Amino acid sequence: MRTAEVVPRPPFWLRLSVIAGNSLQLAGLLGGGFLLALASKTEMAAFWRIMLLLVGWSLLYICCHSFAHWLVGRLVGIRFRGQMVWMQPNIIYALFAAG
């Protein structure tokens, strides 16, 4: 019988309070929206507009995903103590710690 290989999680980079973590997520949402708006309104080369779109979309995706975890957790009664941030290959992930 073969056993599945367990891949360890990377160490946490940073632990933030819930308020600081949510503020960071909100800043990411606003920044992503700003980059998308900028890409749609500016007159620059197509390459740079596409780069703005990709970075803006990535910020929106990552930040709204993490914020949605917090929001749904609160709605079902989970009291969070903080937010941990760690790095996977080229992407920053956020995880809320329940308490």
Side-chain angles (χ1 to χ4, degrees):
M1 183 163 134
R2 295 177 69 177
T3 59
E5 182 179 330
V6 176
V7 178
R9 282 188 176 176
F12 290 123
W13 265 16
L14 180 64
R15 183 182 173 119
L16 302 170
S17 69
V18 173
I19 292 172
N22 284 346
S23 298
L24 184 65
Q25 300 299 327
L26 180 60
L29 287 170
L30 293 173
F34 173 75
L35 291 178
L36 291 178
L38 183 65
S40 71
K41 302 288 183 196
T42 60
E43 297 294 329
M44 60 175 67
F47 172 79
W48 293 113
R49 292 178 72 186
I50 291 170
M51 290 296 109
L52 286 173
L53 286 171
L54 291 173
V55 172
W57 184 86
S58 297
L59 275 172
L60 284 175
Y61 173 75
I62 291 169
C63 292
C64 75
H65 184 93
S66 299
F67 189 74
H69 277 278
W70 174 79
L71 183 61
V72 171
R74 290 295 302 207
L75 289 173
V76 298
I78 299 172
R79 306 292 280 181
F80 294 100
R81 295 182 300 161
Q83 184 176 10
M84 271 69 89
V85 179
W86 74 86
M87 184 72 144
Q88 288 286 43
N90 301 325
I91 299 176
I92 297 175
Y93 289 94
L95 172 71
F96 284 96

Coordinates of all heavy atoms in Angstrom, one line a residue:
M1 N 0.8 -1.2 0.0 CA 0.0 0.0 0.0 C 0.9 1.2 0.0 O 1.8 1.4 0.8 CB -0.9 0.0 1.3 CG -1.8 1.1 1.3 SD -3.1 0.7 2.5 CE -3.2 2.2 3.4
R2 N 0.6 2.2 -0.9 CA 1.4 3.4 -1.0 C 0.8 4.5 -0.1 O -0.4 4.6 -0.1 CB 1.5 3.9 -2.4 CG 2.2 2.9 -3.3 CD 2.2 3.3 -4.7 NE 3.1 4.5 -4.8 CZ 3.3 5.1 -6.0 NH1 2.8 4.6 -7.1 NH2 4.1 6.2 -6.0
T3 N 1.6 5.2 0.5 CA 1.1 6.4 1.3 C 1.4 7.6 0.5 O 2.4 7.8 -0.2 CB 1.7 6.4 2.7 OG1 3.2 6.6 2.5 CG2 1.5 5.2 3.5
A4 N 0.5 8.6 0.7 CA 0.6 9.9 0.0 C 1.8 10.7 0.7 O 1.9 10.6 1.9 CB -0.7 10.7 0.1
E5 N 2.5 11.3 -0.1 CA 3.6 12.1 0.4 C 3.1 13.4 1.0 O 2.3 14.1 0.3 CB 4.6 12.5 -0.7 CG 5.8 13.2 -0.3 CD 6.7 13.5 -1.4 OE1 6.8 12.7 -2.3 OE2 7.4 14.6 -1.4
V6 N 3.5 13.8 2.2 CA 3.0 15.0 2.8 C 4.0 16.1 2.5 O 5.1 16.0 2.8 CB 2.9 14.8 4.4 CG1 2.4 16.1 5.0 CG2 1.9 13.7 4.7
V7 N 3.4 17.2 1.9 CA 4.3 18.3 1.6 C 4.1 19.3 2.7 O 3.0 19.8 3.0 CB 3.8 18.9 0.3 CG1 4.7 20.1 -0.1 CG2 3.9 17.9 -0.8
P8 N 5.1 19.7 3.4 CA 5.0 20.7 4.5 C 4.6 22.1 4.0 O 5.0 22.5 2.9 CB 6.4 20.7 5.2 CG 7.3 20.3 4.1 CD 6.5 19.3 3.2
R9 N 3.9 22.8 4.8 CA 3.6 24.2 4.5 C 4.8 25.1 4.7 O 5.6 24.8 5.5 CB 2.5 24.7 5.4 CG 1.1 24.3 5.0 CD 0.1 25.0 5.9 NE -1.2 24.6 5.5 CZ -2.3 25.1 6.1 NH1 -2.2 25.8 7.1 NH2 -3.5 24.7 5.7
P10 N 4.9 26.1 3.9 CA 6.0 27.0 4.1 C 5.8 27.8 5.4 O 4.6 28.0 5.8 CB 5.9 28.0 2.9 CG 4.5 27.9 2.4 CD 4.0 26.5 2.7
P11 N 6.8 28.3 6.0 CA 6.6 29.1 7.2 C 5.9 30.4 6.9 O 6.0 31.0 5.8 CB 8.1 29.3 7.7 CG 8.9 29.2 6.5 CD 8.2 28.2 5.6
F12 N 5.2 30.9 7.9 CA 4.5 32.2 7.8 C 5.5 33.3 7.7 O 6.5 33.3 8.4 CB 3.6 32.4 9.0 CG 2.4 31.5 9.0 CD1 2.1 30.7 10.1 CD2 1.5 31.5 7.9 CE1 1.1 29.9 10.1 CE2 0.4 30.6 7.9 CZ 0.2 29.8 9.0
W13 N 5.2 34.3 6.9 CA 6.0 35.5 6.8 C 5.7 36.5 7.8 O 6.5 37.1 8.4 CB 5.6 36.2 5.5 CG 6.5 35.9 4.3 CD1 7.3 34.9 4.1 CD2 6.5 36.7 3.1 NE1 7.9 35.0 2.9 CE2 7.4 36.0 2.2 CE3 5.8 37.8 2.7 CZ2 7.6 36.5 1.0 CZ3 6.0 38.3 1.4 CH2 6.9 37.6 0.6
L14 N 4.4 36.6 8.1 CA 3.9 37.7 8.9 C 2.6 37.4 9.5 O 1.8 36.7 8.9 CB 3.8 38.9 7.9 CG 3.3 40.3 8.3 CD1 4.3 40.9 9.3 CD2 3.1 41.2 7.1
R15 N 2.4 37.9 10.7 CA 1.1 37.7 11.4 C 0.5 39.1 11.6 O 1.2 39.9 12.3 CB 1.2 37.0 12.7 CG -0.2 36.8 13.3 CD -0.1 36.1 14.6 NE -1.4 36.1 15.2 CZ -2.1 35.0 15.5 NH1 -1.6 33.8 15.3 NH2 -3.3 35.1 16.0
L16 N -0.7 39.4 11.1 CA -1.3 40.7 11.2 C -2.5 40.6 12.1 O -3.2 39.5 12.2 CB -1.7 41.2 9.8 CG -0.6 41.4 8.8 CD1 -1.2 41.7 7.4 CD2 0.3 42.5 9.2
S17 N -2.9 41.7 12.7 CA -4.2 41.7 13.4 C -5.3 41.7 12.3 O -5.1 41.9 11.1 CB -4.4 43.0 14.2 OG -4.5 44.1 13.3
V18 N -6.5 41.4 12.7 CA -7.6 41.3 11.8 C -7.9 42.7 11.1 O -8.0 42.8 9.9 CB -8.9 40.8 12.5 CG1 -10.1 40.9 11.5 CG2 -8.8 39.4 12.9
I19 N -7.8 43.7 11.9 CA -8.0 45.1 11.3 C -6.9 45.4 10.3 O -7.2 45.9 9.2 CB -8.0 46.1 12.4 CG1 -9.2 46.0 13.3 CG2 -7.9 47.5 11.9 CD1 -9.3 46.8 14.5
A20 N -5.6 45.1 10.6 CA -4.5 45.4 9.7 C -4.7 44.5 8.4 O -4.4 45.0 7.3 CB -3.2 45.1 10.4
G21 N -5.0 43.2 8.6 CA -5.2 42.3 7.5 C -6.3 42.8 6.6 O -6.2 42.8 5.4
N22 N -7.5 43.1 7.2 CA -8.6 43.6 6.4 C -8.3 44.9 5.7 O -8.7 45.2 4.5 CB -9.8 43.7 7.2 CG -10.4 42.4 7.5 OD1 -10.1 41.4 6.9 ND2 -11.3 42.3 8.5
S23 N -7.5 45.8 6.3 CA -7.1 47.1 5.7 C -6.2 46.8 4.5 O -6.3 47.4 3.5 CB -6.3 47.9 6.7 OG -7.2 48.3 7.8
L24 N -5.3 45.8 4.7 CA -4.4 45.4 3.6 C -5.2 44.9 2.4 O -5.0 45.2 1.2 CB -3.4 44.4 4.0 CG -2.3 44.0 3.0 CD1 -1.4 45.1 2.7 CD2 -1.5 42.8 3.7
Q25 N -6.2 44.0 2.7 CA -7.1 43.5 1.7 C -7.9 44.6 1.0 O -8.0 44.6 -0.2 CB -8.1 42.4 2.3 CG -7.4 41.3 2.9 CD -6.6 40.5 2.0 OE1 -6.9 40.3 0.8 NE2 -5.5 39.9 2.5
L26 N -8.4 45.5 1.7 CA -9.2 46.6 1.2 C -8.3 47.5 0.3 O -8.7 47.9 -0.8 CB -9.8 47.5 2.3 CG -10.6 48.7 1.8 CD1 -11.8 48.2 0.9 CD2 -11.1 49.5 3.0
A27 N -7.0 47.7 0.7 CA -6.1 48.5 -0.1 C -5.8 47.7 -1.4 O -5.7 48.3 -2.5 CB -4.8 48.7 0.6
G28 N -5.7 46.4 -1.4 CA -5.5 45.6 -2.6 C -6.7 45.6 -3.5 O -6.5 45.7 -4.7
L29 N -7.9 45.6 -2.9 CA -9.1 45.7 -3.8 C -9.1 47.1 -4.5 O -9.4 47.2 -5.7 CB -10.3 45.5 -2.9 CG -10.6 44.1 -2.4 CD1 -11.7 44.1 -1.4 CD2 -11.0 43.2 -3.6
L30 N -8.9 48.1 -3.7 CA -8.9 49.5 -4.3 C -7.8 49.6 -5.4 O -8.0 50.2 -6.4 CB -8.8 50.5 -3.2 CG -10.0 50.7 -2.3 CD1 -9.7 51.6 -1.2 CD2 -11.2 51.1 -3.0
G31 N -6.6 49.1 -5.0 CA -5.5 49.2 -6.0 C -5.8 48.4 -7.3 O -5.4 48.9 -8.4
G32 N -6.3 47.2 -7.1 CA -6.7 46.4 -8.3 C -7.7 47.1 -9.2 O -7.6 47.1 -10.4
G33 N -8.7 47.7 -8.5 CA -9.7 48.4 -9.3 C -9.1 49.6 -10.0 O -9.5 49.9 -11.2
F34 N -8.2 50.3 -9.3 CA -7.6 51.5 -9.9 C -6.8 51.1 -11.1 O -6.8 51.7 -12.2 CB -6.7 52.2 -8.9 CG -5.9 53.3 -9.5 CD1 -6.4 54.5 -9.8 CD2 -4.5 53.1 -9.7 CE1 -5.7 55.5 -10.3 CE2 -3.7 54.1 -10.3 CZ -4.3 55.3 -10.6
L35 N -6.0 50.0 -11.0 CA -5.2 49.5 -12.1 C -6.1 49.1 -13.3 O -5.7 49.4 -14.5 CB -4.3 48.3 -11.7 CG -3.2 48.7 -10.8 CD1 -2.4 47.5 -10.4 CD2 -2.3 49.8 -11.4
L36 N -7.2 48.4 -13.1 CA -8.1 48.1 -14.2 C -8.7 49.3 -14.8 O -8.7 49.4 -16.1 CB -9.2 47.2 -13.7 CG -8.8 45.8 -13.2 CD1 -10.1 45.0 -12.7 CD2 -8.2 45.0 -14.4
A37 N -9.1 50.3 -14.0 CA -9.6 51.6 -14.6 C -8.5 52.3 -15.4 O -8.8 52.8 -16.5 CB -10.1 52.4 -13.5
L38 N -7.3 52.3 -14.8 CA -6.2 53.0 -15.5 C -5.9 52.3 -16.9 O -5.7 53.0 -17.9 CB -5.0 52.9 -14.6 CG -3.7 53.7 -15.1 CD1 -4.0 55.2 -15.3 CD2 -2.6 53.4 -14.2
A39 N -5.9 51.0 -16.9 CA -5.7 50.3 -18.1 C -6.7 50.5 -19.2 O -6.4 50.6 -20.4 CB -5.6 48.8 -17.9
S40 N -8.0 50.8 -18.7 CA -9.0 51.0 -19.7 C -9.1 52.4 -20.2 O -9.7 52.7 -21.3 CB -10.4 50.6 -19.1 OG -10.7 51.5 -18.1
K41 N -8.5 53.4 -19.5 CA -8.6 54.8 -19.8 C -7.3 55.4 -20.4 O -7.4 56.5 -21.0 CB -9.0 55.6 -18.6 CG -10.2 55.2 -17.9 CD -11.4 55.6 -18.7 CE -12.7 55.2 -18.0 NZ -13.8 55.2 -18.8
T42 N -6.2 54.7 -20.3 CA -4.9 55.4 -20.7 C -4.6 55.1 -22.2 O -5.1 54.1 -22.8 CB -3.7 54.9 -19.9 OG1 -3.6 53.5 -20.0 CG2 -3.9 55.3 -18.4
E43 N -3.8 55.9 -22.8 CA -3.3 55.7 -24.1 C -1.9 55.3 -24.1 O -1.0 56.1 -24.2 CB -3.5 57.0 -24.9 CG -4.9 57.5 -25.1 CD -5.8 56.6 -25.9 OE1 -5.2 55.9 -26.8 OE2 -7.0 56.5 -25.6
M44 N -1.6 54.0 -23.8 CA -0.3 53.5 -23.8 C -0.2 52.3 -24.6 O -1.2 51.8 -25.1 CB 0.2 53.3 -22.4 CG -0.6 52.3 -21.6 SD 0.1 51.9 -19.9 CE -0.1 53.5 -19.1
A45 N 1.0 51.7 -24.8 CA 1.2 50.5 -25.6 C 0.3 49.4 -25.1 O 0.1 49.3 -23.9 CB 2.7 50.2 -25.6
A46 N -0.1 48.5 -26.0 CA -1.0 47.4 -25.6 C -0.3 46.5 -24.6 O -1.0 46.0 -23.7 CB -1.3 46.6 -26.8
F47 N 1.0 46.3 -24.7 CA 1.7 45.5 -23.7 C 1.5 46.0 -22.3 O 1.2 45.2 -21.4 CB 3.2 45.4 -24.1 CG 4.0 44.7 -23.0 CD1 4.1 43.3 -23.0 CD2 4.8 45.4 -22.1 CE1 4.8 42.7 -22.0 CE2 5.5 44.8 -21.1 CZ 5.5 43.4 -21.1
W48 N 1.7 47.3 -22.1 CA 1.6 47.8 -20.7 C 0.2 47.8 -20.2 O -0.1 47.6 -19.1 CB 2.2 49.3 -20.7 CG 3.6 49.2 -20.9 CD1 4.3 49.7 -22.0 CD2 4.6 48.6 -20.0 NE1 5.7 49.4 -21.8 CE2 5.9 48.8 -20.7 CE3 4.5 47.9 -18.8 CZ2 7.0 48.3 -20.1 CZ3 5.7 47.5 -18.3 CH2 7.0 47.6 -18.9
R49 N -0.8 48.0 -21.1 CA -2.2 47.9 -20.7 C -2.6 46.5 -20.3 O -3.3 46.3 -19.3 CB -3.1 48.4 -21.9 CG -2.9 49.9 -22.1 CD -3.8 50.4 -23.3 NE -5.2 50.3 -22.9 CZ -6.2 50.6 -23.7 NH1 -5.9 50.8 -24.9 NH2 -7.4 50.6 -23.2
I50 N -2.0 45.5 -21.0 CA -2.3 44.1 -20.6 C -1.6 43.8 -19.3 O -2.2 43.1 -18.5 CB -1.8 43.2 -21.7 CG1 -2.7 43.3 -23.0 CG2 -1.8 41.7 -21.3 CD1 -2.2 42.6 -24.2
M51 N -0.4 44.3 -19.1 CA 0.2 44.1 -17.8 C -0.6 44.7 -16.6 O -0.7 44.1 -15.6 CB 1.7 44.7 -17.8 CG 2.7 44.0 -18.6 SD 2.9 42.3 -18.1 CE 2.1 41.4 -19.3
L52 N -1.1 46.0 -16.9 CA -1.9 46.6 -15.8 C -3.2 45.8 -15.6 O -3.6 45.6 -14.4 CB -2.3 48.0 -16.3 CG -1.3 49.1 -16.2 CD1 -1.8 50.4 -16.8 CD2 -0.8 49.3 -14.8
L53 N -3.8 45.2 -16.6 CA -5.0 44.4 -16.5 C -4.7 43.1 -15.7 O -5.4 42.7 -14.8 CB -5.5 44.0 -17.8 CG -6.3 45.1 -18.6 CD1 -6.6 44.6 -20.0 CD2 -7.5 45.5 -17.9
L54 N -3.5 42.5 -16.0 CA -3.2 41.2 -15.3 C -2.9 41.5 -13.8 O -3.3 40.8 -12.9 CB -2.0 40.6 -16.0 CG -2.3 40.0 -17.3 CD1 -1.0 39.5 -18.0 CD2 -3.3 38.9 -17.2
V55 N -2.1 42.5 -13.5 CA -1.8 42.8 -12.1 C -3.0 43.3 -11.4 O -3.3 42.9 -10.2 CB -0.7 43.9 -12.0 CG1 -0.5 44.4 -10.6 CG2 0.6 43.4 -12.6
G56 N -3.9 44.1 -12.0 CA -5.1 44.6 -11.4 C -6.0 43.4 -11.1 O -6.6 43.3 -10.0
W57 N -6.2 42.5 -12.1 CA -7.1 41.4 -11.9 C -6.6 40.5 -10.8 O -7.3 40.0 -9.9 CB -7.2 40.6 -13.2 CG -8.2 39.5 -13.0 CD1 -9.5 39.5 -13.2 CD2 -7.9 38.1 -12.6 NE1 -10.1 38.3 -12.9 CE2 -9.1 37.4 -12.6 CE3 -6.7 37.5 -12.3 CZ2 -9.1 36.1 -12.3 CZ3 -6.7 36.1 -12.0 CH2 -8.0 35.4 -12.0
S58 N -5.2 40.3 -10.7 CA -4.6 39.4 -9.7 C -4.9 40.0 -8.3 O -5.2 39.3 -7.4 CB -3.1 39.2 -10.0 OG -2.9 38.6 -11.2
L59 N -4.7 41.3 -8.2 CA -4.9 41.9 -6.9 C -6.4 41.8 -6.5 O -6.7 41.4 -5.3 CB -4.6 43.4 -6.9 CG -3.1 43.8 -6.7 CD1 -2.9 45.3 -7.0 CD2 -2.7 43.5 -5.3
L60 N -7.3 42.0 -7.4 CA -8.7 41.9 -7.1 C -9.0 40.4 -6.7 O -9.7 40.2 -5.7 CB -9.6 42.3 -8.3 CG -9.7 43.7 -8.5 CD1 -10.5 44.0 -9.8 CD2 -10.4 44.4 -7.3
Y61 N -8.5 39.5 -7.4 CA -8.8 38.1 -7.1 C -8.3 37.7 -5.7 O -9.0 37.1 -4.9 CB -8.2 37.2 -8.2 CG -8.3 35.7 -7.8 CD1 -9.6 35.1 -7.9 CD2 -7.3 35.0 -7.4 CE1 -9.7 33.7 -7.6 CE2 -7.4 33.7 -7.0 CZ -8.6 33.0 -7.1 OH -8.8 31.7 -6.7
I62 N -7.0 37.9 -5.5 CA -6.4 37.5 -4.2 C -7.0 38.2 -3.0 O -7.4 37.6 -2.0 CB -4.9 37.7 -4.3 CG1 -4.2 36.8 -5.3 CG2 -4.2 37.6 -2.9 CD1 -2.8 37.1 -5.6
C63 N -7.3 39.5 -3.2 CA -7.8 40.3 -2.0 C -9.2 40.0 -1.8 O -9.7 39.9 -0.6 CB -7.5 41.7 -2.2 SG -5.8 42.2 -2.2
C64 N -10.1 39.8 -2.8 CA -11.5 39.6 -2.5 C -11.7 38.1 -2.0 O -12.5 37.9 -1.2 CB -12.3 39.9 -3.7 SG -12.3 38.7 -5.1
H65 N -10.8 37.2 -2.5 CA -10.9 35.8 -2.0 C -10.6 35.7 -0.5 O -11.4 35.1 0.2 CB -9.9 35.0 -2.8 CG -10.0 33.5 -2.5 ND1 -10.8 32.7 -3.2 CD2 -9.4 32.8 -1.6 CE1 -10.7 31.5 -2.7 NE2 -9.8 31.5 -1.7
S66 N -9.5 36.4 -0.1 CA -9.2 36.4 1.3 C -10.2 37.1 2.2 O -10.6 36.6 3.2 CB -7.8 37.0 1.5 OG -6.8 36.3 0.9
F67 N -10.7 38.2 1.7 CA -11.7 39.0 2.4 C -13.0 38.2 2.5 O -13.7 38.2 3.5 CB -12.0 40.3 1.7 CG -12.8 41.2 2.5 CD1 -12.3 41.9 3.7 CD2 -14.1 41.5 2.2 CE1 -13.1 42.7 4.4 CE2 -14.9 42.3 2.9 CZ -14.4 43.0 4.0
A68 N -13.4 37.4 1.5 CA -14.6 36.6 1.5 C -14.5 35.5 2.5 O -15.5 35.2 3.2 CB -14.8 36.0 0.1
H69 N -13.3 34.9 2.7 CA -13.1 33.9 3.8 C -13.4 34.5 5.1 O -14.1 34.0 6.0 CB -11.7 33.4 3.8 CG -11.4 32.3 2.8 ND1 -11.8 31.0 3.1 CD2 -10.9 32.3 1.6 CE1 -11.5 30.2 2.0 NE2 -10.9 31.0 1.1
W70 N -12.9 35.7 5.4 CA -13.2 36.4 6.6 C -14.7 36.7 6.8 O -15.2 36.4 7.9 CB -12.4 37.7 6.7 CG -12.7 38.5 7.9 CD1 -12.3 38.3 9.2 CD2 -13.6 39.6 8.0 NE1 -12.8 39.2 10.0 CE2 -13.6 40.1 9.3 CE3 -14.4 40.3 7.0 CZ2 -14.4 41.1 9.7 CZ3 -15.1 41.4 7.5 CH2 -15.2 41.8 8.8
L71 N -15.3 37.2 5.8 CA -16.7 37.6 5.8 C -17.6 36.4 6.1 O -18.4 36.4 7.0 CB -17.1 38.3 4.5 CG -18.5 38.9 4.5 CD1 -18.8 39.9 5.6 CD2 -18.8 39.5 3.1
V72 N -17.4 35.3 5.3 CA -18.2 34.1 5.5 C -18.0 33.5 6.9 O -18.9 33.1 7.6 CB -18.0 33.1 4.4 CG1 -18.6 31.8 4.7 CG2 -18.5 33.7 3.1
G73 N -16.7 33.5 7.3 CA -16.4 33.0 8.7 C -17.1 33.8 9.8 O -17.7 33.2 10.7
R74 N -17.1 35.1 9.6 CA -17.8 35.9 10.6 C -19.3 35.7 10.6 O -20.0 35.6 11.6 CB -17.6 37.4 10.3 CG -16.2 37.9 10.6 CD -15.9 37.8 12.1 NE -16.8 38.5 12.9 CZ -16.6 39.1 14.0 NH1 -15.4 38.9 14.6 NH2 -17.5 39.8 14.6
L75 N -19.9 35.5 9.4 CA -21.3 35.2 9.3 C -21.7 33.9 9.9 O -22.9 33.8 10.4 CB -21.7 35.2 7.8 CG -21.7 36.6 7.1 CD1 -22.0 36.4 5.6 CD2 -22.7 37.5 7.7
V76 N -20.8 32.9 10.0 CA -21.2 31.7 10.6 C -20.7 31.6 12.0 O -20.7 30.5 12.7 CB -20.7 30.4 9.8 CG1 -21.4 30.4 8.4 CG2 -19.2 30.4 9.6
G77 N -20.1 32.7 12.6 CA -19.8 32.8 14.0 C -18.3 32.5 14.3 O -18.0 32.3 15.5
I78 N -17.5 32.5 13.4 CA -16.0 32.3 13.7 C -15.4 33.6 14.1 O -15.6 34.6 13.4 CB -15.3 31.7 12.5 CG1 -15.9 30.3 12.1 CG2 -13.8 31.6 12.8 CD1 -15.3 29.7 10.8
R79 N -14.8 33.6 15.2 CA -14.1 34.8 15.7 C -12.6 34.7 15.3 O -11.9 33.9 15.9 CB -14.2 35.0 17.2 CG -15.6 35.0 17.7 CD -16.4 36.2 17.3 NE -16.1 37.3 18.2 CZ -16.7 38.5 18.0 NH1 -17.5 38.7 17.1 NH2 -16.3 39.5 18.8
F80 N -12.1 35.5 14.5 CA -10.7 35.4 14.0 C -9.8 36.2 14.9 O -10.2 37.3 15.4 CB -10.6 35.9 12.6 CG -11.3 35.1 11.6 CD1 -12.6 35.5 11.1 CD2 -10.8 33.9 11.1 CE1 -13.3 34.7 10.2 CE2 -11.4 33.1 10.2 CZ -12.7 33.5 9.8
R81 N -8.6 35.7 15.1 CA -7.6 36.4 16.0 C -6.6 37.1 15.2 O -5.9 38.0 15.7 CB -6.9 35.3 16.8 CG -7.8 34.6 17.8 CD -7.0 33.7 18.7 NE -6.4 32.7 17.8 CZ -5.4 31.9 18.1 NH1 -4.8 32.0 19.3 NH2 -4.9 31.0 17.3
G82 N -6.4 36.8 13.9 CA -5.4 37.4 13.1 C -5.4 36.9 11.7 O -6.2 36.0 11.3
Q83 N -4.5 37.4 11.0 CA -4.3 37.0 9.6 C -2.8 36.7 9.4 O -2.0 37.5 9.6 CB -4.8 38.1 8.6 CG -4.7 37.7 7.2 CD -5.3 38.8 6.3 OE1 -5.5 39.9 6.7 NE2 -5.5 38.5 5.1
M84 N -2.6 35.5 8.8 CA -1.2 35.1 8.5 C -1.0 35.2 7.0 O -1.8 34.9 6.3 CB -0.9 33.6 9.0 CG -0.5 33.5 10.4 SD -1.7 33.9 11.6 CE -2.5 32.3 11.8
V85 N 0.2 35.6 6.7 CA 0.6 35.8 5.3 C 1.8 34.9 5.0 O 2.7 34.9 5.8 CB 0.9 37.3 4.9 CG1 1.3 37.4 3.5 CG2 -0.3 38.2 5.3
W86 N 1.7 34.1 3.9 CA 2.9 33.3 3.6 C 3.1 33.4 2.1 O 2.2 33.7 1.3 CB 2.9 31.9 4.1 CG 1.9 31.0 3.5 CD1 2.2 30.2 2.4 CD2 0.6 30.7 3.9 NE1 1.1 29.5 2.1 CE2 0.1 29.7 3.0 CE3 -0.2 31.1 4.9 CZ2 -1.2 29.2 3.1 CZ3 -1.5 30.6 5.0 CH2 -1.9 29.6 4.2
M87 N 4.2 32.9 1.6 CA 4.5 33.0 0.2 C 4.6 31.6 -0.4 O 5.2 30.7 0.1 CB 5.9 33.7 0.0 CG 6.3 33.9 -1.4 SD 5.4 35.2 -2.1 CE 6.5 36.0 -3.1
Q88 N 3.9 31.4 -1.5 CA 4.0 30.2 -2.3 C 4.7 30.7 -3.6 O 4.9 31.9 -3.7 CB 2.6 29.7 -2.7 CG 1.9 29.0 -1.5 CD 2.5 27.7 -1.2 OE1 3.7 27.5 -1.1 NE2 1.7 26.7 -0.9
P89 N 5.1 29.8 -4.4 CA 5.8 30.3 -5.6 C 5.2 31.5 -6.3 O 4.2 31.3 -7.0 CB 5.8 29.0 -6.5 CG 5.7 27.9 -5.6 CD 4.8 28.4 -4.4
N90 N 5.7 32.6 -6.1 CA 5.4 33.9 -6.7 C 4.0 34.4 -6.4 O 3.5 35.3 -7.0 CB 5.5 33.8 -8.2 CG 6.9 33.5 -8.6 OD1 7.9 33.9 -8.0 ND2 7.1 32.7 -9.7
I91 N 3.3 33.9 -5.4 CA 2.0 34.4 -5.0 C 1.9 34.5 -3.5 O 2.3 33.6 -2.8 CB 0.9 33.4 -5.5 CG1 0.9 33.3 -7.0 CG2 -0.5 33.9 -5.0 CD1 -0.1 32.4 -7.6
I92 N 1.4 35.6 -3.0 CA 1.2 35.7 -1.5 C -0.2 35.2 -1.2 O -1.2 35.7 -1.8 CB 1.4 37.2 -1.1 CG1 2.8 37.6 -1.4 CG2 1.1 37.4 0.3 CD1 3.1 39.1 -1.2
Y93 N -0.3 34.4 -0.2 CA -1.5 33.9 0.3 C -1.8 34.4 1.7 O -0.9 34.6 2.4 CB -1.6 32.3 0.3 CG -1.6 31.7 -1.0 CD1 -0.4 31.3 -1.7 CD2 -2.8 31.5 -1.7 CE1 -0.5 30.7 -2.9 CE2 -2.8 30.9 -2.9 CZ -1.7 30.5 -3.5 OH -1.7 29.9 -4.8
A94 N -3.0 34.6 2.0 CA -3.4 35.1 3.3 C -4.3 34.0 3.9 O -5.2 33.4 3.3 CB -4.1 36.4 3.2
L95 N -4.2 33.8 5.2 CA -5.0 32.8 5.9 C -5.4 33.5 7.2 O -4.6 34.0 8.0 CB -4.2 31.6 6.2 CG -4.8 30.5 7.1 CD1 -6.0 29.9 6.4 CD2 -3.8 29.5 7.6
F96 N -6.7 33.4 7.5 CA -7.2 33.9 8.8 C -7.1 32.8 9.8 O -7.4 31.7 9.5 CB -8.6 34.4 8.6 CG -8.7 35.7 7.9 CD1 -9.0 35.8 6.6 CD2 -8.6 36.9 8.6 CE1 -9.1 37.0 5.9 CE2 -8.7 38.1 8.0 CZ -8.9 38.1 6.6
A97 N -6.6 33.2 11.0 CA -6.5 32.2 12.1 C -7.7 32.4 13.0 O -8.0 33.5 13.5 CB -5.2 32.5 12.9
A98 N -8.4 31.3 13.2 CA -9.6 31.4 14.0 C -9.2 31.2 15.5 O -8.2 30.6 15.8 CB -10.6 30.3 13.6
G99 N -10.0 31.8 16.3 CA -9.7 31.7 17.8 C -10.9 31.7 18.6 O -12.0 31.9 18.3

